[in-house]
């Protein structure tokens, strides 16, 4: 049965709500699991981009002369969204008090990020169902810590639990919007995969990996390596095949 990118987008978007709910309900065991997902997702996403997506993007170089530029644009857009629009930002649970502006600026920045998560899923499906499914898994894995991030920031800024969950819902809606607009707008349909490569590379290498580099013990490193091996076992080396 054919997979529907919109349904995949909805499924990934649920990760935002699950992560936000874990913070609001203070489920420490769930938060520890999500922390492990962060490291696993980093490995999965990094391997997906380097082994599967970039060869696909540049393999179509004759048809997409701006492919390299679009990868760079995707990378830079996320950086600007997270560190210019959102000065107080890091993946994971926020444990210190922050200003109300910090919470809402984070919501703006992460909404843009979430939109490109949807672009990534839809862009993958435009190439093949296999690539779309792998992007869905990659996005879902970091949607959980993304939900933790926004909900904890909202709570730390003084917002109530309802607003914290509402912020997770905003990210979920932005994700689905990214899927829908990629299918409707020709430029996104053409360059969506290249943009998604840049976005995913940034999230994996610049957001997620630094979050667990200082962790002691082997648990997080094992999760990171597990994500890489999982992607390879799923056959990312043959992503061009339907």
């Amino acid at each position: 049965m054919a997979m529907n990118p919109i349904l995949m987008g909805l499924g990934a978007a649920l990760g935002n709500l699950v992560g936000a709910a874990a913070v609001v309900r203070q489920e420490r065991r769930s938060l520890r699991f999500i922390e492990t997902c962060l490291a696993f997702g980093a490995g999965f996403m990094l391997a997906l981009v380097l082994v599967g997506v970039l060869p696909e993007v540049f393999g179509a170089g004759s048809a997409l002369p701006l492919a390299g530029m679009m990868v760079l644009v995707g990378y830079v857009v996320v950086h600007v969204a997270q560190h210019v629009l959102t000065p107080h930002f890091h993946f994971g649970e926020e444990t210190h008090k922050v200003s109300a502006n910090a919470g809402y600026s984070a919501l703006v920045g992460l909404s843009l990020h979430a939109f490109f998560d949807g672009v990534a899923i839809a862009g993958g499906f435009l190439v093949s169902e296999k690539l779309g499914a792998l992007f869905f898994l990659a996005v879902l894995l970091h949607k959980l810590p993304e939900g933790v991030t926004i909900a904890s920031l909202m709570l730390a800024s003084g917002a109530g639990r309802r607003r914290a969950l509402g912020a997770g819902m905003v990210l979920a809606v932005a994700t689905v919007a990214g899927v829908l607009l990629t299918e409707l707008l020709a430029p996104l349909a053409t360059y969506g995969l290249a943009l998604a490569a840049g976005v995913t590379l940034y999230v994996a290498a610049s957001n997620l990996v630094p979050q667990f580099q200082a962790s002691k013990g082997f648990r997080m490193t094992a999760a990171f390596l597990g994500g890489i091996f999982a992607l390879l076992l799923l056959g990312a080396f043959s992503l061009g095949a339907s």
Side-chain angles (χ1 to χ4, degrees):
M1 185 175 69
M3 288 181 281
N4 187 310
I6 297 175
L7 291 179
M8 294 295 101
L10 286 168
L14 284 175
N16 288 134
L17 299 177
V18 172
V23 170
V24 169
R25 298 173 63 180
Q26 286 296 298
E27 296 177 352
R28 306 315 305 179
R29 186 176 298 178
S30 296
L31 290 171
R32 182 176 172 83
F33 170 74
I34 290 171
E35 181 185 50
T36 304
C37 282
L38 183 150
F40 184 91
F44 192 96
M45 294 170 75
L46 196 59
L48 174 60
V49 172
L50 297 179
V51 176
V53 180
L54 289 180
E56 186 70 38
V57 168
F58 292 113
S62 58
L64 298 174
L66 295 177
M69 181 62 71
M70 291 299 103
V71 173
L72 180 60
V73 167
Y75 191 98
V76 171
V77 163
V78 179
H79 175 79
V80 171
Q82 292 183 357
H83 299 288
V84 177
L85 297 179
T86 312
H88 188 99
F89 177 84
H90 60 83
F91 263 91
E93 187 177 9
E94 179 57 64
T95 57
H96 303 93
K97 288 290 184 182
V98 300
S99 68
N101 285 340
Y104 287 108
S105 65
L107 181 58
V108 172
L110 280 174
S111 294
L112 183 58
H113 173 141
F115 175 82
F116 280 104
D117 285 339
V119 172
I121 293 172
F125 274 103
L126 289 173
V127 175
S128 70
E129 281 197 354
K130 185 174 184 179
L131 182 54
L134 289 172
F135 258 123
F136 160 73
L137 290 173
V139 168
L140 177 61
L141 285 167
H142 85 269
K143 281 294 186 185
L144 295 167
E146 191 177 83
V148 169
T149 299
I150 193 58
S152 63
L153 272 168
M154 294 301 287
L155 291 174
S157 71
R161 293 185 175 188
R162 184 173 297 180
R163 286 191 180 181
L165 285 173
M169 177 63 75
V170 169
L171 299 189
V173 170
T175 304
V176 177
V179 175
L180 292 172
L181 288 178
T182 300
E183 295 191 331
L184 294 174
L185 300 179
L188 279 178
T190 301
Y191 291 107
L193 189 63
L195 288 168
V199 170
T200 306
L201 183 61
Y202 186 92
V203 172
S206 298
N207 280 158
L208 302 185
V209 170
Q211 289 300 312
F212 63 84
Q213 278 184 315
S215 298
K216 296 181 180 180
F218 191 63
R219 178 174 66 94
M220 300 299 276
T221 298
F224 175 69
L225 295 175
I228 293 173
F229 288 128
L231 187 282
L232 296 177
L233 288 174
L234 286 172
F237 49 83
S238 59
L239 284 169
S242 298

